[in-house]
Amino acid sequence: MTIRPLHTQTIDYLKVEVYENRKAMGTSAGYAVAAKMKELLQENQNIRMVFAAAPSQNEFLEALKGIEGIDWSRVIAFHMDEYIGLPANASQRFGTFLCHRLFYEVKPGEVQLINSSNAIQEECLRYGHLIEEAPIDIVCLGIGENGHIAFNDPPVADFCDQVAVKGVELDLACRQQQVNDGCFETLADVPTHALTLTIPTLLSGTHLFCMVPGATKFAAVHRTLSGPITTECPSSILRQHPDCTLYVDTDSYGELS
């Protein structure tokens, strides 16, 4: 399926595609990711992918799981972050989100979930080892209202992190976003800490697809595209990745002239 963007541009290395609404954005991103998966599976025995879990990914995940011709049995799937302190059966856990939104339906050959119930340092080492066993082929991510990628909020973001996975304290703006997104009823319900893949780990992916719809992301998208490359807006580093495409709608990008 081909849905033409309303506008395209390239900023540094970052390719930007603007769509009329989030459904068109998600559908186009889904088909682009599926095409890359099929291409890589023609060349490799399996592929390794990292997925984000957030309402911003809903339309993309819905499109991706409906596309035929992908041999999911040869996909090794990871996710990029997880809360610390939520019960194992909590619906807000990102592993649970992805299982219900994608993994249970497409059945990847291998699914590696972060277990934040483990001792934190042990889990960072365990999951980091799994991530670093082989190159990551595709990363599907979003951008937070404060410019975070995964849970690398501005106070803890480090473009030169020496570890693959780390424990972090969540920024207030990040925690408030979880309420704004309807994932938690009140700020007090949102965990204060999480585990996250670090920025170098995310950028180690060969192909990055970043889906960012909605008016609440307008400021973050503007800073990503127009501001300096700095950890004050962690997503700005995406402009330096050699193969990253940013998918936005008119709400997150702003009015087209």
Side-chain angles (χ1 to χ4, degrees):
M1 176 183 292
T2 300
I3 300 176
R4 296 191 179 278
L6 300 176
H7 174 70
T8 64
Q9 66 182 124
T10 301
I11 300 178
D12 297 328
Y13 294 106
L14 180 63
K15 299 178 287 292
V16 183
E17 297 188 5
V18 185
Y19 291 86
E20 182 177 3
N21 53 56
R22 59 190 299 155
K23 181 173 176 56
M25 179 215 72
T27 300
S28 184
Y31 275 86
V33 170
K36 182 57 67 175
M37 292 173 69
K38 293 175 183 179
E39 174 190 322
L40 294 175
L41 285 167
Q42 289 182 334
E43 305 167 357
N44 304 283
Q45 180 58 36
N46 55 51
I47 59 174
R48 293 158 55 86
M49 299 182 65
V50 176
F51 291 91
S56 64
Q57 306 299 298
N58 285 348
E59 291 80 10
F60 157 66
L61 294 173
E62 187 67 26
L64 181 63
K65 69 185 180 184
I67 296 171
E68 297 181 352
I70 302 172
D71 186 356
W72 283 95
S73 70
R74 294 161 54 202
V75 175
I76 302 169
F78 300 86
H79 62 131
M80 58 183 58
D81 44 19
E82 187 58 270
Y83 293 114
I84 295 171
L86 285 181
N89 62 349
S91 61
Q92 296 97 335
R93 287 176 71 106
F94 292 146
T96 301
F97 177 98
L98 284 168
C99 283
H100 287 283
R101 292 275 179 176
L102 183 67
F103 299 153
Y104 287 160
E105 297 189 46
V106 299
K107 297 179 173 57
E110 190 175 320
V111 174
Q112 295 289 355
L113 298 180
I114 299 170
N115 184 357
S116 57
S117 300
N118 284 344
I120 300 309
Q121 193 56 39
E122 291 179 11
E123 183 61 12
C124 288
L125 292 172
R126 183 193 74 86
Y127 206 72
H129 175 71
L130 293 171
I131 284 284
E132 293 180 324
E133 278 184 339
I136 297 295
D137 298 294
I138 296 174
V139 177
C140 304
L141 70 158
I143 294 173
E145 292 177 17
N146 63 358
H148 72 215
I149 47 178
F151 268 145
N152 296 282
D153 290 328
V156 299
D158 185 348
F159 293 159
C160 300
D161 251 319
Q162 298 300 303
V163 295
V165 183
K166 67 181 181 181
V168 294
E169 181 175 0
L170 301 179
D171 190 28
L172 179 60
C174 171
R175 295 178 63 228
Q176 182 60 51
Q177 178 187 323
Q178 313 310 314
V179 180
N180 298 346
D181 285 347
C183 301
F184 294 88
E185 288 190 11
T186 70
L187 184 63
D189 295 328
V190 183
T192 58
H193 291 74
L195 294 174
T196 184
L197 302 192
T198 60
I199 291 174
T201 303
L202 296 172
L203 295 184
S204 75
T206 306
H207 309 283
L208 271 57
F209 299 84
C210 186
M211 286 61 76
V212 191
T216 60
K217 302 293 180 69
F218 171 78
V221 168
H222 179 73
R223 293 178 68 198
T224 299
L225 300 180
S226 304
I229 296 176
T230 170
T231 54
E232 292 182 11
C233 180
S235 53
S236 61
I237 195 65
L238 297 176
R239 287 167 24 206
Q240 293 188 345
H241 191 277
D243 187 17
C244 180
T245 303
L246 175 66
Y247 295 84
V248 291
D249 61 4
T250 52
D251 287 334
S252 58
Y253 185 80
E255 291 297 324
L256 294 166
S257 57

